[in-house]
């Protein structure tokens, strides 16, 4: 004997809301792997806590980033945007270097969105403070372990790579610079 199941309107509404929330919570998944190469002697700049690629290690690469919201969760990292800094070459948006005393950031590839956020401000929320910073570069999530990327691994899909000025404005003690959970939003 088969048992029939009837769902009330309230049950259907709950199922619908659960399905919508799970769609909104979808995260970016790796789009492939990049095999690390050994940097030439003295070619990987480890200033500001930067990591060098490890020969043979497989690194996730991403063509996307998590969806942007009014409070997009991210990891704030430290980048030196000056010439000969750990950031590699000049910034993607203007092919220039930027002073570490200026509040500038690089965003993971998906959030950078093919230069669409270039020279636009974002608001970073962290350490109980909100700070504005200008997007000037991409934190490449699709490539790495080469000269152009200072022999550093690809960025994760959720990185806001910030200058010293951003860390200072957030009031983070210098000894704690390098990695911090934050949220960010586009400025209207």
């Amino acid at each position: 004997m088969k048992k029939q199941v009837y769902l009330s309107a309230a049950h259907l509404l709950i199922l619908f809301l659960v399905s919508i929330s799970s769609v909104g919570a979808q995260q970016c998944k790796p789009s492939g792997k990049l095999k690390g190469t050994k940097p030439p002697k003295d070619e990987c700049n480890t200033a500001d806590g930067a990591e060098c690629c490890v020969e043979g290690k497989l690194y996730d690469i991403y063509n996307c980033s998590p969806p942007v919201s009014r409070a997009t969760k991210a990891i704030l990292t430290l980048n030196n945007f000056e010439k000969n800094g750990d950031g590699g070459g000049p910034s993607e948006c203007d092919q220039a270097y930027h002073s570490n005393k200026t509040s500038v950031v690089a965003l993971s590839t998906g959030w950078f969105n093919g230069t669409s956020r270039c020279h636009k401000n974002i608001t970073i929320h962290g350490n109980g403070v909100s700070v504005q910073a200008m997007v000037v570069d991409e934190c490449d999530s699709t490539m790495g372990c080469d000269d152009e990327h200072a022999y550093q691994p690809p960025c994760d899909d959720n990185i806001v790579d910030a200058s010293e000025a951003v860390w200072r404005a957030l009031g983070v003690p210098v000894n704690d610079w390098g990695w911090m959970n934050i949220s960010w939003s586009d400025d209207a």
Side-chain angles (χ1 to χ4, degrees):
M1 177 177 197
K2 288 186 179 178
K3 201 176 198 183
Q4 290 187 343
V5 176
Y6 295 97
L7 296 176
S8 70
H11 286 109
L12 287 174
L13 178 61
I14 290 170
L15 284 173
F16 176 72
L17 291 174
V18 166
S19 69
I20 287 176
S21 67
S22 67
V23 168
Q26 286 180 354
Q27 297 298 310
C28 175
K29 302 227 188 293
S31 54
K33 300 275 186 187
L34 176 80
K35 189 174 183 178
T37 57
K38 184 178 179 181
K41 186 174 172 33
D42 299 324
E43 289 293 315
C44 183
N45 186 338
T46 57
D48 301 321
E51 176 186 348
C52 295
C53 289
V54 175
E55 186 172 16
K57 181 177 179 179
L58 294 177
Y59 297 95
D60 287 333
I61 57 173
Y62 299 89
N63 291 318
C64 56
S65 290
V68 175
S69 67
R70 285 187 274 177
T72 307
K73 291 184 180 181
I75 304 297
L76 188 71
T77 55
L78 179 61
N79 188 33
N80 183 336
F81 290 86
E82 295 180 351
K83 190 169 184 160
N84 298 319
D86 66 310
S91 296
E92 187 71 24
C93 293
D94 54 15
Q95 296 304 305
Y97 294 96
H98 296 270
S99 169
N100 289 323
K101 295 177 182 174
T102 305
S103 292
V104 293
V105 296
L107 297 177
S108 292
T109 297
W111 290 336
F112 187 67
N113 197 18
T115 71
S116 71
R117 286 196 168 88
C118 278
H119 299 121
K120 294 183 180 171
N121 285 335
I122 64 170
T123 300
I124 299 166
H125 313 277
N127 199 36
V129 178
S130 294
V131 174
Q132 282 192 327
M134 182 187 296
V135 177
V136 296
D137 205 1
E138 173 185 18
C139 192
D140 199 337
S141 304
T142 65
M143 303 286 287
C145 299
D146 57 13
D147 182 53
E148 180 182 347
H149 298 92
Y151 296 97
Q152 296 173 13
C155 284
D156 285 336
D157 64 333
N158 63 340
I159 299 297
V160 175
D161 206 14
S163 65
E164 289 179 8
V166 172
W167 287 86
R168 283 189 199 289
L170 288 170
V172 178
V174 174
N175 291 342
D176 294 335
W177 289 5
W179 190 97
M180 184 171 80
N181 286 312
I182 57 144
S183 64
W184 70 274
S185 59
D186 285 312
D187 284 0

